[in-house]
């Protein structure tokens, strides 16, 4: 006699917290000198004044996209399907990849804390570009109810900076 086992469905998550992907000072998106971010036209989130040139995974998931030519931004996806954009600096697409060293590519599975990219703070600033880095939850993701900005000004891998609430 066989005993059929049913696979239990993974418990549905209602929200998840996200730590900062870059060490530094957390500020409001309104401080970003680019209206696409400061007006939240692209989505809600935070910005970080980096204290070091490293982007680490704020959660386990996968890499959805890396800007191939400019290497200045990437989109990562949480297990819930929610995508996050990490855009290093403002107008840094103009550097054409100079000063950016991605360590992942689209399709890679990532672990929380894994190094995703290194960037040269000095090269960005010497190029005349702000290093402030928007970290946003892009608009248009149907599963999201709302994004909550958590209090705190220090970006670290221990303290959550965003909470993403999912629709029931």
């Amino acid at each position: 006699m066989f005993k059929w086992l049913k696979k239990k469905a993974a418990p549905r998550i209602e929200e998840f917290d996200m730590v900062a992907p870059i060490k530094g000072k957390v500020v409001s998106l309104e401080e970003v000198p680019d209206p696409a971010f400061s007006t939240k036209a692209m989505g809600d989130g935070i910005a970080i004044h980096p204290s070091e040139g490293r982007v680490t995974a704020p959660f386990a998931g996968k890499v959805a996209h890396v800007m191939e030519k400019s290497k200045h931004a990437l989109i990562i996806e949480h297990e819930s399907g929610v995508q996050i954009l990490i855009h290093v600096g403002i107008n840094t697409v103009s550097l054409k990849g100079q000063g950016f060293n991605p360590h992942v590519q689209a399709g890679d599975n990532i672990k929380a804390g894994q190094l995703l990219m290194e960037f040269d703070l000095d090269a960005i600033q010497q190029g005349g570009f702000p290093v402030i880095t928007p970290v946003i939850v892009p608009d248009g993701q149907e599963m999201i109810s709302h994004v909550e900005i958590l209090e705190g000004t220090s970006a670290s891998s221990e303290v959550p900076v965003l909470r993403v609430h999912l629709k029931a």
Side-chain angles (χ1 to χ4, degrees), residues 24-92:
K25 182 183 178 199
V26 177
V27 296
S28 164
L29 276 180
E30 284 83 8
E31 291 190 30
V32 177
D34 181 332
F37 296 110
S38 64
T39 64
K40 300 182 182 180
M42 295 176 61
D44 205 353
I46 57 162
I48 300 171
H49 286 289
S51 60
E52 67 177 26
R54 294 169 48 92
V55 178
T56 57
F59 49 71
K62 70 178 184 181
V63 178
H65 188 73
V66 176
M67 305 307 170
E68 290 301 323
K69 291 182 181 175
S70 60
K71 301 177 176 79
H72 74 291
L74 45 86
I75 298 171
I76 56 174
E77 187 173 303
H78 185 264
E79 65 184 8
S80 64
V82 172
Q83 293 188 341
I84 305 292
L85 168 67
I86 303 167
H87 189 284
V88 178
I90 301 302
N91 296 324
T92 47

